[in-house]
Amino acid sequence: NENITYKHRLLGYNDSWLALGERENSVKYNSLPAGNYTFEVKAIDNAIPNKSIVKQINIAIKTPFWKSWWFITIIAITLLLIVWLYYTQKIKKLRLKQKTNLERERVNRQLIASQLENLRSQMNPHFIFNALNSIQEYIVLNEKELASSYLVKFSRLIRMYLEHSQKQEVTLKEELEPLSLYLTLEQNRFEDVLEYEINISPEVPVNNIKVPSLFIQPYVENALKHGLLHKKEDRFLLVSLALNNEKTNLICKITDNGIGRKASELINEEKRKQHISFATAANRKRIDLINTNRKHKIVVNITDLYNDKNESEGTQVEIIIP
């Protein structure tokens, strides 16, 4: 071995002969590309420089699977599929968001229309006519102070209605102020044969609780129009507000000692009038609209009250507002 050196080459990679150093007897190729090669080597005896024998080894390096056409095709199809799914989902989400926004806009438009219906019901011609009639009567009787006081209350009530009609929600205090004024004016219509109370539990934060605007009065109006109007004496209306035990719901109860729903329906049938008030129907539609986008729904329960003799003692409306 001391007198022998080696030369080598790798056909298909490098056609030139390369000599190894003294006492070297190995060759290393790193990262050969895929393909077919022929490794050739010859040993040279320094004593006989012209005598050499060439030996060959055929080498085949296969293409890695990740470089094969079928793998590249699969990857390309997979990437295209991922991109397609991504944009499909994105477009689907955008359409769903657009649909949700359109639905919200539709509900908002209907809520505004419902608010206007409620405003129209609370400013109905009969109520305005009766109020103006009362003012005229005071003027005719030369009751200037009464006429002035009534006119101030009436104008304040109308102004509150118009202000609240522009809002979706108001505080409970703001909702009760026009209700109290309304009952004061209606008390005059009943010629003072009407007693009413608005009881608010001390635990109710009237300045913090928000309720739909122009919401409670239609039920009060219904109690007056259908329950108490047909009663001749001892008319009494109670509006009570409290929180439930869990402090999660506002409970509003409107209780009257009127003639009851059945008797009222019979009277209205005789008069051939629609027995479901416009105000209550508008509020029922409004509740459905409000509940559309709410997880916790507003609930209205109506109960007929009876005494031990199964005689009607009035009606109670319970409004549960989360």
Side-chain angles (χ1 to χ4, degrees):
N1 290 336
E2 294 177 357
N3 298 320
I4 295 176
T5 57
Y6 297 95
K7 286 187 177 182
H8 66 89
R9 64 181 178 181
L10 188 63
L11 297 176
Y13 183 72
N14 187 359
D15 295 341
S16 301
W17 287 96
L18 301 175
L20 287 177
E22 292 183 2
R23 298 182 183 276
E24 288 186 20
N25 61 355
S26 65
V27 179
K28 181 183 287 188
Y29 293 95
N30 292 319
S31 303
L32 285 174
N36 296 315
Y37 304 92
T38 301
F39 177 73
E40 294 183 342
V41 63
K42 58 184 178 179
I44 301 171
D45 190 337
N46 293 331
I48 315 172
N50 295 324
K51 297 289 184 179
S52 63
I53 300 173
V54 177
K55 289 289 187 180
Q56 295 180 336
I57 298 175
N58 293 320
I59 300 171
I61 298 179
K62 293 182 179 180
T63 303
F65 75 91
W66 61 85
K67 291 184 178 180
S68 59
W69 67 269
W70 57 267
F71 183 80
I72 294 172
T73 303
I74 291 174
I75 292 297
I77 292 173
T78 303
L79 287 174
L80 288 173
L81 185 62
I82 290 172
V83 170
W84 179 78
L85 288 173
Y86 172 76
Y87 281 103
T88 300
Q89 289 298 317
K90 194 170 183 180
I91 292 170
K92 187 177 179 180
K93 287 181 180 179
L94 287 172
R95 285 177 178 171
L96 183 62
K97 186 178 179 181
Q98 186 181 29
K99 184 179 179 181
T100 303
N101 290 336
L102 289 173
E103 179 66 17
R104 189 180 292 113
E105 287 298 319
R106 184 187 66 81
V107 171
N108 286 338
R109 285 197 301 270
Q110 289 185 334
L111 274 173
I112 292 170
S114 176
Q115 272 184 291
L116 292 175
E117 284 184 6
N118 270 24
L119 177 63
R120 194 177 80 187
S121 72
Q122 288 163 328
M123 295 178 65
N124 65 75
H126 293 294
F127 172 68
I128 295 175
F129 176 79
N130 289 331
L132 295 177
N133 230 11
S134 298
I135 295 170
Q136 183 185 31
E137 186 177 350
Y138 288 141
I139 293 173
V140 170
L141 296 175
N142 203 26
E143 298 284 355
K144 296 180 180 179
E145 291 185 5
L146 287 175
S148 176
S149 174
Y150 196 95
L151 184 59
V152 168
K153 291 177 182 177
F154 179 69
S155 62
R156 279 182 59 203
L157 182 63
I158 298 300
R159 186 178 71 247
M160 287 181 184
Y161 283 164
L162 294 174
E163 288 175 352
H164 290 188
S165 68
Q166 300 174 17
K167 303 175 183 177
Q168 291 287 354
E169 289 184 330
V170 294
T171 63
L172 183 59
K173 182 180 179 181
E174 291 174 325
E175 178 73 5
L176 294 178
E177 285 175 354
L179 177 63
S180 180
L181 265 179
Y182 170 77
L183 285 171
T184 302
L185 296 177
E186 284 294 82
Q187 194 174 39
N188 183 79
R189 175 190 173 193
F190 283 85
E191 298 177 350
D192 293 328
V193 190
L194 170 66
E195 295 294 328
Y196 70 87
E197 288 183 16
I198 300 178
N199 291 339
I200 306 172
S201 174
E203 64 184 357
V204 177
V206 292
N207 291 316
N208 296 330
I209 290 180
K210 291 289 189 74
V211 296
S213 61
L214 307 174
F215 191 75
I216 297 175
Q217 190 204 312
Y219 296 99
V220 173
E221 177 193 341
N222 200 48
L224 295 176
K225 182 178 178 182
H226 297 284
L228 296 174
L229 181 63
H230 304 300
K231 192 173 182 179
K232 301 303 179 184
E233 56 186 14
D234 297 327
R235 300 185 181 111
F236 182 71
L237 178 73
L238 173 63
V239 179
S240 62
L241 297 111
L243 299 180
N244 64 342
N245 294 332
E246 294 77 16
K247 306 291 189 296
T248 56
N249 293 334
L250 174 68
I251 311 296
C252 176
K253 293 182 179 180
I254 301 160
T255 308
D256 68 76
N257 65 343
I259 63 173
R261 288 191 296 174
K262 289 184 178 179
S264 178
E265 285 174 6
L266 290 174
I267 293 173
N268 286 324
E269 282 178 5
E270 290 176 2
K271 294 180 179 181
R272 295 182 180 179
K273 292 181 179 179
Q274 187 177 1
H275 62 273
I276 299 176
S277 78
F278 173 81
T280 303
N283 238 32
R284 188 179 302 163
K285 179 181 177 182
R286 189 178 177 196
I287 289 172
D288 292 337
L289 290 171
I290 293 172
N291 285 340
T292 301
N293 296 323
R294 289 176 71 112
K295 181 179 179 182
H296 304 288
K297 313 295 186 184
I298 294 176
V299 178
V300 177
N301 299 315
I302 302 177
T303 306
D304 296 308
L305 305 177
Y306 297 94
N307 59 18
D308 297 336
K309 298 178 181 179
N310 203 30
E311 297 172 343
S312 176
E313 285 192 332
T315 307
Q316 182 179 84
V317 178
E318 181 185 54
I319 307 171
I320 303 172
I321 305 175

